[in-house]
Amino acid sequence: MRGQLLYEKAWLDHFLSLIPEHSTILDLGCSSAKPIAAYLIAQGHSVVGVDSSEVMIEMAQQNFPEQSWIQADMRQISLRQKFQGILAWDSFFHLTPDDQRAMFSIFQQHSKPNAALMFSSGSSHGEAIGELFGDALYHASLSPDEYTQLLNDHDFKVVKMVAEDPDCAGHTVWLLKKN
């Protein structure tokens, strides 16, 4: 549905500048792997994608059979693997506030030292119900102060954060580096 428009390219390039060439990246909420994972792969990285949707994982496997695609709930993964980069783009904010809080342990558990983490969130604490194809679509966000505290508690430092970035379709983006 989204097409190939990569409005987050500048953020992805900044994320990639923080990790070594030919890294393995964990993409949480990878969807069909297009266009974001496709871009990461084109830049020479390997992707392990996780999505709860069987249909999305099947599409990702068809699009990029040489990568690793896992149908799973990101809130419950334990992959026994650590990554140089973790991305949770347009996926993390569909979790409840409590589930988001719990995800920071999962980010930490799957991060190598000096790993990059990037996720999109809301700009302030709250919950909202949007709509997609006539179906309700849940969104939630913690406050920036709470995200910052959780990041500090899990050994991530903020590299850059922009609320409602006009150059990125209004996304609030967090780019972090593991200590």
Side-chain angles (χ1 to χ4, degrees):
M1 176 187 91
R2 174 182 158 153
Q4 299 305 309
L5 178 64
L6 199 62
Y7 58 79
E8 58 276 90
K9 183 182 180 304
W11 279 100
L12 291 171
D13 287 342
H14 198 169
F15 170 79
L16 292 176
S17 75
L18 299 176
I19 62 176
E21 292 181 8
H22 310 293
S23 289
T24 301
I25 299 168
L26 177 60
D27 186 355
L28 297 169
C30 64
S31 191
S32 69
K34 289 185 176 181
I36 293 177
Y39 182 74
L40 301 174
I41 295 163
Q43 304 312 304
H45 300 279
S46 297
V47 174
V48 174
V50 174
D51 201 287
S52 62
S53 168
E54 180 179 356
V55 171
M56 289 296 138
I57 290 298
E58 287 174 1
M59 291 172 69
Q61 288 170 333
Q62 290 171 0
N63 291 330
F64 301 98
E66 70 283 1
Q67 304 299 317
S68 180
W69 307 107
I70 302 166
Q71 182 187 354
D73 185 329
M74 74 171 80
R75 299 169 295 182
Q76 299 171 3
I77 62 167
S78 182
L79 301 179
R80 296 185 191 101
Q81 182 178 357
K82 293 185 182 284
F83 299 87
Q84 291 96 345
I86 298 176
L87 185 64
W89 192 267
D90 283 356
S91 58
F92 180 69
F93 58 52
H94 293 299
L95 303 178
T96 67
D98 283 343
D99 285 339
Q100 287 186 34
R101 291 178 187 104
M103 282 300 299
F104 288 90
S105 293
I106 291 173
F107 294 152
Q108 185 178 39
Q109 171 189 350
H110 291 89
S111 297
K112 287 187 173 185
N114 299 311
L117 166 64
M118 188 165 68
F119 64 88
S120 51
S121 73
S123 60
S124 61
H125 177 77
E127 296 174 287
I129 304 294
E131 186 178 308
L132 182 65
F133 302 123
D135 292 327
L137 187 60
Y138 177 83
H139 296 82
S141 183
L142 307 177
S143 71
D145 287 343
E146 186 172 3
Y147 282 129
T148 300
Q149 185 61 54
L150 285 162
L151 290 162
N152 289 335
D153 291 348
H154 292 87
D155 298 320
F156 288 95
K157 66 177 180 179
V158 176
V159 173
K160 185 175 181 181
M161 182 273 191
V162 177
E164 299 177 352
D165 186 350
D167 296 327
C168 191
H171 280 67
T172 295
V173 184
W174 295 82
L175 179 60
L176 314 131
K177 188 85 170 167
K178 179 88 162 66
N179 293 328

